[in-house]
Amino acid sequence: LKSPTGHNLENPVKIKLGEDLDEISGIAYDKSLGAIIALNDEEGKLFKIYTDNRPPSIGHRFNKGGDYEDLCYDGKNWYALKSNGNLSKIENLFTDSMRSIEFKFPLKGKFNFETIFHDPANNRLVLLCKDCGNTDGKVSGYSFDLGKSETDSISNFNLDLSGLISNPLGNNETLKPSAAAYHPLTGELFVIASVNSLLIIADQNGKAKEAFKLDKKLFKQPEGLCFSP
């Protein structure tokens, strides 16, 4: 299996986690805590995961349970994404007064999201569709404007696979992203698709440049992606 430049997908570092963290659906890195913050899929809880052998923290609840799919940090605030496109802005992280404010996705219908990433150049978060009727090798995304605190009702981002030399998807297979983040050094967009066992690398505007197959034995159900310093 090939790996992206500077990374080795065949020899990952493993961190063993407890039962509470059996179902992580999103991760983001917190520089001030020196920890990966992990989102529990069903319970509306966040955990601190350390990379220096300390055990993970107990879970801190920010909201009642729900289908939470991804976590994003914009440098100031934390956001948890629900599968229906609703966003929870989390306040007072890891304190007794931790809570959240919800922003509703503006459209009705069959929208299914698993991915959110911060786009600092445009002061927005991008909600990337897992299943919103994606066609023609393109995956649509919707912007959450950080200035206005609202999600646009028109799709204004595309992850486009058409530029790849060979199509990494099987027949009748559509790309179903599960996590994404901009690489802090190259500015490229890294996208994980758990269902497809793929890592896609695209330019800042979402035009795919490379695709890498993930080993299912090592990456059983990869649903989170973040970069640490």
Side-chain angles (χ1 to χ4, degrees), residues 207-225:
K207 193 86 175 164
K209 304 195 286 188
E210 292 180 282
F212 299 90
K213 204 75 189 150
L214 297 174
D215 184 342
K216 276 191 170 158
K217 288 195 201 81
L218 293 175
F219 300 97
K220 194 165 125 192
Q221 196 173 330
E223 293 197 347
L225 173 70

Side-chain angles (χ1 to χ4, degrees), residues 116-143:
I116 187 171
F117 62 91
H118 180 219
D119 176 9
N122 294 296
N123 194 35
R124 66 179 178 172
L125 309 177
V126 176
L127 288 65
L128 204 53
C129 283
K130 180 186 183 186
D131 193 2
C132 307
N134 301 333
T135 52
D136 307 331
K138 286 186 182 173
V139 176
S140 51
Y142 292 80
S143 293

Side-chain angles (χ1 to χ4, degrees), residues 5-183:
T5 307
H7 301 272
N8 184 353
L9 295 176
E10 291 187 69
N11 190 24
V13 175
K14 289 185 185 179
I15 301 171
K16 288 228 184 303
L17 307 172
E19 257 178 54
D20 279 352
L21 286 159
D22 198 31
E23 186 88 18
I24 292 174
S25 58
I27 56 174
Y29 191 80
D30 187 321
K31 211 156 139 184
S32 64
L33 293 170
I36 296 165
I37 309 305
L39 174 71
N40 173 297
D41 185 359
E42 297 293 338
E43 294 184 26
K45 283 182 182 176
L46 295 185
F47 297 79
K48 286 178 269 197
I49 297 172
Y50 301 100
T51 55
D52 58 5
N53 295 322
R54 276 183 287 167
S57 73
I58 57 163
H60 281 71
R61 192 179 291 283
F62 62 87
N63 205 342
K64 59 183 188 293
D67 193 10
Y68 294 100
E69 294 291 354
D70 205 4
L71 183 67
C72 187
Y73 181 53
D74 70 359
K76 275 196 308 195
N77 296 301
W78 293 83
Y79 295 87
L81 171 70
K82 273 188 178 172
S83 56
N84 62 5
N86 289 0
L87 279 180
S88 290
K89 181 181 175 184
I90 303 163
E91 299 183 332
N92 309 321
L93 206 69
F94 299 121
T95 67
D96 290 341
S97 53
M98 187 160 153
R99 64 189 188 107
S100 63
I101 304 162
E102 190 160 78
F103 302 99
K104 298 251 189 268
F105 186 67
L107 300 171
K108 297 279 177 258
K110 288 191 173 176
F111 290 91
N112 187 1
F113 296 94
E114 246 184 42
T115 302
I116 187 171
F117 62 91
H118 180 219
D119 176 9
N122 294 296
N123 194 35
R124 66 179 178 172
L125 309 177
V126 176
L127 288 65
L128 204 53
C129 283
K130 180 186 183 186
D131 193 2
C132 307
N134 301 333
T135 52
D136 307 331
K138 286 186 182 173
V139 176
S140 51
Y142 292 80
S143 293
F144 178 81
D145 186 313
L146 288 164
K148 295 180 193 163
S149 287
E150 63 184 31
T151 307
D152 283 351
S153 54
I154 296 167
S155 165
N156 45 21
F157 184 90
N158 271 322
L159 177 63
D160 183 359
L161 302 187
S162 65
L164 294 173
I165 295 163
S166 61
N167 184 357
L169 299 170
N171 288 339
N172 302 320
E173 193 183 10
T174 55
L175 187 69
K176 296 182 182 293
S178 51
Y182 281 116
H183 193 294

Side-chain angles (χ1 to χ4, degrees), residues 188-214:
E188 294 167 317
L189 184 66
F190 278 54
V191 182
I192 290 263
S194 180
V195 173
N196 314 97
S197 291
L198 284 176
L199 169 65
I200 306 286
I201 299 180
D203 68 15
Q204 283 198 318
N205 301 314
K207 193 86 175 164
K209 304 195 286 188
E210 292 180 282
F212 299 90
K213 204 75 189 150
L214 297 174

